[in-house]
Amino acid sequence: MAQHPLEEMYAARDALDRAARKCARTDLAQLDWPPFGAALLGVLGSLHHLADELTNKLDQVDRNSLYKEALRDHPQEALDRAIGDLEGMTAVLASAMRHAGEYWEEAQHIHEDTVSRERE
């Protein structure tokens, strides 16, 4: 049975929390550094994709209908602000992905230098 997207998000959050707790208790070898970079990049990419999809969904809301259903205030303006916030989050995640990619490259560089020294 397919889960609601919110259930999937909470399950992913719980899995990331478990990974962070295990990481804190684990002695990581240098060989683990590059795969962590790849994993971080993947997680951030998924968050970016999710924020982008939410932005697209909210942007499709009929603002006139929303205004007609309003009990008070101007919910269409709040919707526009929420979309702006999601767009800001998407930009931050894009930056985080760039940093994760750079970390991954540096960790791989360390790994390759370490491996080459061990062979000498």
Side-chain angles (χ1 to χ4, degrees), residues 3 16-17 24 29 44 52 54-55 66 68 77 102 110 113:
Q3 289 185 317
L16 285 170
D17 285 343
L44 291 168
D52 196 44
L54 284 171
T55 302
L66 187 64
K68 289 176 187 175
E77 293 172 6
E102 290 169 0
I110 294 165
D113 282 353

Side-chain angles (χ1 to χ4, degrees), residues 6 9 43-56 58 79-99:
L6 280 174
M9 287 176 64
V43 168
L44 291 168
S46 294
L47 285 171
H48 184 276
H49 183 217
L50 177 63
D52 196 44
E53 289 299 326
L54 284 171
T55 302
N56 291 335
L58 289 179
L79 176 64
D80 289 337
R81 288 190 303 272
I83 290 170
D85 290 334
L86 283 171
E87 289 171 341
M89 185 183 349
T90 302
V92 168
L93 287 167
S95 175
M97 288 172 56
R98 182 177 42 75
H99 287 289

Side-chain angles (χ1 to χ4, degrees), residues 61-117:
V61 171
D62 181 359
R63 282 150 177 81
N64 289 326
S65 295
L66 187 64
Y67 181 72
K68 289 176 187 175
E69 296 171 0
L71 299 175
R72 61 181 177 85
D73 208 2
H74 298 283
Q76 74 279 10
E77 293 172 6
L79 176 64
D80 289 337
R81 288 190 303 272
I83 290 170
D85 290 334
L86 283 171
E87 289 171 341
M89 185 183 349
T90 302
V92 168
L93 287 167
S95 175
M97 288 172 56
R98 182 177 42 75
H99 287 289
E102 290 169 0
Y103 161 81
W104 186 14
E105 289 175 14
E106 295 299 339
Q108 188 64 36
H109 180 77
I110 294 165
H111 171 70
E112 288 169 358
D113 282 353
T114 303
V115 170
S116 65
R117 275 194 312 235

